[in-house]
Amino acid sequence: VQLQASGGGLVQAGDSLRLSCAASGRTRSNTPLAWFRQDSVKEREFVAAINWVDGSTSYSDSVEGRFTLSRDNAKNMVYLQMNSLLPEDTAVYFCAAPRGRLIRSNWYGPHVYDYWGQGTQVTVSS
């Protein structure tokens, strides 16, 4: 599986951005496509994930209600719509996929993901 993240940029607080993750290879299975983020201080943290098959989603508390995931199975694309951005959202954002199936309770740790995109920088100024 190859993943390509894009869509980052420099915006002001309150603005919106949409990140995209293009997936190729064996992506069509009952697995999640997740987004993580990492800044210079914190460890890589879970942001959100969506199941390719049924579209179920999960969000971290810090982005719940502001970020929305969607997928286009025909194009093997996952989108992370980020609204009401805050300076603390500043980070490099990565999309990730596991090699096999993951039950929902295991979606949240970066160590269970085998494939990673190259990351896209999101910078939110105050």
Side-chain angles (χ1 to χ4, degrees), residues 66-85:
R66 300 187 297 122
F67 291 11
T68 303
L69 277 168
S70 62
R71 77 200 193 288
D72 184 333
N73 283 0
K75 296 181 179 179
N76 275 358
M77 296 289 294
V78 170
Y79 305 101
L80 181 66
Q81 178 66 42
M82 306 187 296
N83 298 330
S84 302
L85 282 162

PDB file of all heavy atoms in Angstrom, residues 66-85:
ATOM      1  N   ARG A  66     -14.941  19.588  14.738  1.00  0.00           N
ATOM      2  CA  ARG A  66     -14.276  20.539  13.828  1.00  0.00           C
ATOM      3  C   ARG A  66     -13.744  19.854  12.570  1.00  0.00           C
ATOM      4  O   ARG A  66     -13.721  20.473  11.507  1.00  0.00           O
ATOM      5  CB  ARG A  66     -13.112  21.231  14.544  1.00  0.00           C
ATOM      6  CG  ARG A  66     -13.495  22.017  15.773  1.00  0.00           C
ATOM      7  CD  ARG A  66     -12.309  22.814  16.317  1.00  0.00           C
ATOM      8  NE  ARG A  66     -11.216  21.963  16.769  1.00  0.00           N
ATOM      9  CZ  ARG A  66      -9.976  22.023  16.288  1.00  0.00           C
ATOM     10  NH1 ARG A  66      -9.669  22.895  15.352  1.00  0.00           N
ATOM     11  NH2 ARG A  66      -9.032  21.216  16.767  1.00  0.00           N
ATOM     12  N   PHE A  67     -13.329  18.633  12.698  1.00  0.00           N
ATOM     13  CA  PHE A  67     -12.767  17.881  11.572  1.00  0.00           C
ATOM     14  C   PHE A  67     -13.780  16.830  11.128  1.00  0.00           C
ATOM     15  O   PHE A  67     -14.479  16.232  11.958  1.00  0.00           O
ATOM     16  CB  PHE A  67     -11.471  17.181  11.965  1.00  0.00           C
ATOM     17  CG  PHE A  67     -10.304  18.088  12.236  1.00  0.00           C
ATOM     18  CD1 PHE A  67     -10.447  19.463  12.352  1.00  0.00           C
ATOM     19  CD2 PHE A  67      -9.032  17.559  12.394  1.00  0.00           C
ATOM     20  CE1 PHE A  67      -9.363  20.295  12.597  1.00  0.00           C
ATOM     21  CE2 PHE A  67      -7.939  18.356  12.647  1.00  0.00           C
ATOM     22  CZ  PHE A  67      -8.112  19.731  12.753  1.00  0.00           C
ATOM     23  N   THR A  68     -13.798  16.578   9.824  1.00  0.00           N
ATOM     24  CA  THR A  68     -14.706  15.583   9.279  1.00  0.00           C
ATOM     25  C   THR A  68     -13.983  14.747   8.235  1.00  0.00           C
ATOM     26  O   THR A  68     -13.330  15.296   7.336  1.00  0.00           O
ATOM     27  CB  THR A  68     -15.930  16.240   8.630  1.00  0.00           C
ATOM     28  OG1 THR A  68     -16.593  17.076   9.588  1.00  0.00           O
ATOM     29  CG2 THR A  68     -16.913  15.181   8.147  1.00  0.00           C
ATOM     30  N   LEU A  69     -14.111  13.450   8.361  1.00  0.00           N
ATOM     31  CA  LEU A  69     -13.534  12.526   7.396  1.00  0.00           C
ATOM     32  C   LEU A  69     -14.561  12.119   6.357  1.00  0.00           C
ATOM     33  O   LEU A  69     -15.746  11.970   6.666  1.00  0.00           O
ATOM     34  CB  LEU A  69     -13.061  11.258   8.096  1.00  0.00           C
ATOM     35  CG  LEU A  69     -11.686  11.282   8.753  1.00  0.00           C
ATOM     36  CD1 LEU A  69     -11.522  10.060   9.629  1.00  0.00           C
ATOM     37  CD2 LEU A  69     -10.595  11.340   7.703  1.00  0.00           C
ATOM     38  N   SER A  70     -14.088  11.899   5.143  1.00  0.00           N
ATOM     39  CA  SER A  70     -14.921  11.304   4.108  1.00  0.00           C
ATOM     40  C   SER A  70     -14.024  10.466   3.212  1.00  0.00           C
ATOM     41  O   SER A  70     -12.799  10.590   3.249  1.00  0.00           O
ATOM     42  CB  SER A  70     -15.646  12.376   3.303  1.00  0.00           C
ATOM     43  OG  SER A  70     -14.730  13.226   2.638  1.00  0.00           O
ATOM     44  N   ARG A  71     -14.645   9.613   2.423  1.00  0.00           N
ATOM     45  CA  ARG A  71     -13.859   8.757   1.530  1.00  0.00           C
ATOM     46  C   ARG A  71     -14.528   8.679   0.173  1.00  0.00           C
ATOM     47  O   ARG A  71     -15.745   8.843   0.060  1.00  0.00           O
ATOM     48  CB  ARG A  71     -13.712   7.358   2.129  1.00  0.00           C
ATOM     49  CG  ARG A  71     -14.948   6.483   2.012  1.00  0.00           C
ATOM     50  CD  ARG A  71     -14.937   5.351   2.985  1.00  0.00           C
ATOM     51  NE  ARG A  71     -15.922   4.334   2.709  1.00  0.00           N
ATOM     52  CZ  ARG A  71     -17.232   4.456   2.881  1.00  0.00           C
ATOM     53  NH1 ARG A  71     -17.733   5.600   3.300  1.00  0.00           N
ATOM     54  NH2 ARG A  71     -18.048   3.439   2.646  1.00  0.00           N
ATOM     55  N   ASP A  72     -13.728   8.416  -0.822  1.00  0.00           N
ATOM     56  CA  ASP A  72     -14.208   8.157  -2.167  1.00  0.00           C
ATOM     57  C   ASP A  72     -13.601   6.821  -2.569  1.00  0.00           C
ATOM     58  O   ASP A  72     -12.444   6.754  -2.982  1.00  0.00           O
ATOM     59  CB  ASP A  72     -13.777   9.280  -3.110  1.00  0.00           C
ATOM     60  CG  ASP A  72     -14.340   9.113  -4.505  1.00  0.00           C
ATOM     61  OD1 ASP A  72     -14.613   7.968  -4.921  1.00  0.00           O
ATOM     62  OD2 ASP A  72     -14.495  10.133  -5.196  1.00  0.00           O
ATOM     63  N   ASN A  73     -14.373   5.771  -2.409  1.00  0.00           N
ATOM     64  CA  ASN A  73     -13.842   4.438  -2.667  1.00  0.00           C
ATOM     65  C   ASN A  73     -13.450   4.243  -4.138  1.00  0.00           C
ATOM     66  O   ASN A  73     -12.498   3.532  -4.432  1.00  0.00           O
ATOM     67  CB  ASN A  73     -14.863   3.371  -2.262  1.00  0.00           C
ATOM     68  CG  ASN A  73     -14.915   3.177  -0.761  1.00  0.00           C
ATOM     69  OD1 ASN A  73     -14.201   3.830  -0.012  1.00  0.00           O
ATOM     70  ND2 ASN A  73     -15.770   2.284  -0.310  1.00  0.00           N
ATOM     71  N   ALA A  74     -14.170   4.885  -5.024  1.00  0.00           N
ATOM     72  CA  ALA A  74     -13.871   4.737  -6.455  1.00  0.00           C
ATOM     73  C   ALA A  74     -12.484   5.285  -6.781  1.00  0.00           C
ATOM     74  O   ALA A  74     -11.795   4.783  -7.666  1.00  0.00           O
ATOM     75  CB  ALA A  74     -14.933   5.431  -7.283  1.00  0.00           C
ATOM     76  N   LYS A  75     -12.090   6.334  -6.052  1.00  0.00           N
ATOM     77  CA  LYS A  75     -10.799   6.969  -6.315  1.00  0.00           C
ATOM     78  C   LYS A  75      -9.742   6.559  -5.308  1.00  0.00           C
ATOM     79  O   LYS A  75      -8.601   7.012  -5.387  1.00  0.00           O
ATOM     80  CB  LYS A  75     -10.949   8.493  -6.291  1.00  0.00           C
ATOM     81  CG  LYS A  75     -11.852   9.041  -7.382  1.00  0.00           C
ATOM     82  CD  LYS A  75     -11.921  10.562  -7.301  1.00  0.00           C
ATOM     83  CE  LYS A  75     -12.796  11.127  -8.397  1.00  0.00           C
ATOM     84  NZ  LYS A  75     -12.908  12.601  -8.323  1.00  0.00           N
ATOM     85  N   ASN A  76     -10.117   5.744  -4.329  1.00  0.00           N
ATOM     86  CA  ASN A  76      -9.198   5.381  -3.247  1.00  0.00           C
ATOM     87  C   ASN A  76      -8.632   6.623  -2.566  1.00  0.00           C
ATOM     88  O   ASN A  76      -7.427   6.731  -2.343  1.00  0.00           O
ATOM     89  CB  ASN A  76      -8.071   4.491  -3.766  1.00  0.00           C
ATOM     90  CG  ASN A  76      -8.447   3.028  -3.805  1.00  0.00           C
ATOM     91  OD1 ASN A  76      -9.551   2.652  -3.416  1.00  0.00           O
ATOM     92  ND2 ASN A  76      -7.551   2.201  -4.291  1.00  0.00           N
ATOM     93  N   MET A  77      -9.521   7.540  -2.256  1.00  0.00           N
ATOM     94  CA  MET A  77      -9.127   8.789  -1.612  1.00  0.00           C
ATOM     95  C   MET A  77      -9.848   8.935  -0.276  1.00  0.00           C
ATOM     96  O   MET A  77     -11.011   8.565  -0.146  1.00  0.00           O
ATOM     97  CB  MET A  77      -9.478   9.991  -2.486  1.00  0.00           C
ATOM     98  CG  MET A  77      -8.746  10.061  -3.801  1.00  0.00           C
ATOM     99  SD  MET A  77      -7.005  10.476  -3.607  1.00  0.00           S
ATOM    100  CE  MET A  77      -7.120  12.149  -2.962  1.00  0.00           C
ATOM    101  N   VAL A  78      -9.150   9.478   0.685  1.00  0.00           N
ATOM    102  CA  VAL A  78      -9.744   9.863   1.962  1.00  0.00           C
ATOM    103  C   VAL A  78      -9.448  11.337   2.182  1.00  0.00           C
ATOM    104  O   VAL A  78      -8.328  11.797   1.919  1.00  0.00           O
ATOM    105  CB  VAL A  78      -9.189   9.023   3.124  1.00  0.00           C
ATOM    106  CG1 VAL A  78      -9.629   9.595   4.463  1.00  0.00           C
ATOM    107  CG2 VAL A  78      -9.644   7.575   2.997  1.00  0.00           C
ATOM    108  N   TYR A  79     -10.457  12.053   2.652  1.00  0.00           N
ATOM    109  CA  TYR A  79     -10.332  13.491   2.844  1.00  0.00           C
ATOM    110  C   TYR A  79     -10.554  13.838   4.313  1.00  0.00           C
ATOM    111  O   TYR A  79     -11.443  13.282   4.967  1.00  0.00           O
ATOM    112  CB  TYR A  79     -11.354  14.235   1.992  1.00  0.00           C
ATOM    113  CG  TYR A  79     -11.274  13.876   0.539  1.00  0.00           C
ATOM    114  CD1 TYR A  79     -12.172  12.975  -0.027  1.00  0.00           C
ATOM    115  CD2 TYR A  79     -10.300  14.431  -0.278  1.00  0.00           C
ATOM    116  CE1 TYR A  79     -12.106  12.641  -1.365  1.00  0.00           C
ATOM    117  CE2 TYR A  79     -10.225  14.102  -1.616  1.00  0.00           C
ATOM    118  CZ  TYR A  79     -11.120  13.195  -2.153  1.00  0.00           C
ATOM    119  OH  TYR A  79     -11.036  12.867  -3.474  1.00  0.00           O
ATOM    120  N   LEU A  80      -9.759  14.746   4.805  1.00  0.00           N
ATOM    121  CA  LEU A  80      -9.922  15.259   6.163  1.00  0.00           C
ATOM    122  C   LEU A  80     -10.236  16.746   6.054  1.00  0.00           C
ATOM    123  O   LEU A  80      -9.347  17.556   5.766  1.00  0.00           O
ATOM    124  CB  LEU A  80      -8.658  15.032   6.990  1.00  0.00           C
ATOM    125  CG  LEU A  80      -8.734  15.506   8.455  1.00  0.00           C
ATOM    126  CD1 LEU A  80      -9.761  14.678   9.237  1.00  0.00           C
ATOM    127  CD2 LEU A  80      -7.358  15.393   9.122  1.00  0.00           C
ATOM    128  N   GLN A  81     -11.494  17.071   6.230  1.00  0.00           N
ATOM    129  CA  GLN A  81     -11.913  18.468   6.214  1.00  0.00           C
ATOM    130  C   GLN A  81     -11.690  19.051   7.601  1.00  0.00           C
ATOM    131  O   GLN A  81     -12.258  18.555   8.575  1.00  0.00           O
ATOM    132  CB  GLN A  81     -13.386  18.578   5.828  1.00  0.00           C
ATOM    133  CG  GLN A  81     -13.937  19.989   5.834  1.00  0.00           C
ATOM    134  CD  GLN A  81     -13.299  20.856   4.759  1.00  0.00           C
ATOM    135  OE1 GLN A  81     -13.091  20.417   3.626  1.00  0.00           O
ATOM    136  NE2 GLN A  81     -12.980  22.106   5.111  1.00  0.00           N
ATOM    137  N   MET A  82     -10.876  20.086   7.674  1.00  0.00           N
ATOM    138  CA  MET A  82     -10.527  20.684   8.956  1.00  0.00           C
ATOM    139  C   MET A  82     -11.071  22.106   9.005  1.00  0.00           C
ATOM    140  O   MET A  82     -10.645  22.964   8.231  1.00  0.00           O
ATOM    141  CB  MET A  82      -9.003  20.691   9.130  1.00  0.00           C
ATOM    142  CG  MET A  82      -8.363  19.332   8.966  1.00  0.00           C
ATOM    143  SD  MET A  82      -6.605  19.299   9.379  1.00  0.00           S
ATOM    144  CE  MET A  82      -5.958  20.402   8.136  1.00  0.00           C
ATOM    145  N   ASN A  83     -12.017  22.326   9.879  1.00  0.00           N
ATOM    146  CA  ASN A  83     -12.642  23.635  10.041  1.00  0.00           C
ATOM    147  C   ASN A  83     -12.266  24.228  11.392  1.00  0.00           C
ATOM    148  O   ASN A  83     -11.811  23.528  12.294  1.00  0.00           O
ATOM    149  CB  ASN A  83     -14.156  23.516   9.937  1.00  0.00           C
ATOM    150  CG  ASN A  83     -14.609  23.019   8.579  1.00  0.00           C
ATOM    151  OD1 ASN A  83     -13.958  23.249   7.559  1.00  0.00           O
ATOM    152  ND2 ASN A  83     -15.731  22.321   8.560  1.00  0.00           N
ATOM    153  N   SER A  84     -12.482  25.526  11.505  1.00  0.00           N
ATOM    154  CA  SER A  84     -12.210  26.225  12.770  1.00  0.00           C
ATOM    155  C   SER A  84     -10.825  25.876  13.309  1.00  0.00           C
ATOM    156  O   SER A  84     -10.667  25.534  14.484  1.00  0.00           O
ATOM    157  CB  SER A  84     -13.284  25.877  13.814  1.00  0.00           C
ATOM    158  OG  SER A  84     -14.580  26.212  13.331  1.00  0.00           O
ATOM    159  N   LEU A  85      -9.845  25.975  12.456  1.00  0.00           N
ATOM    160  CA  LEU A  85      -8.497  25.579  12.840  1.00  0.00           C
ATOM    161  C   LEU A  85      -7.949  26.467  13.955  1.00  0.00           C
ATOM    162  O   LEU A  85      -8.226  27.677  14.013  1.00  0.00           O
ATOM    163  CB  LEU A  85      -7.577  25.612  11.632  1.00  0.00           C
ATOM    164  CG  LEU A  85      -7.731  24.412  10.692  1.00  0.00           C
ATOM    165  CD1 LEU A  85      -7.149  24.694   9.327  1.00  0.00           C
ATOM    166  CD2 LEU A  85      -7.078  23.180  11.306  1.00  0.00           C
TER     167      LEU A  85
END
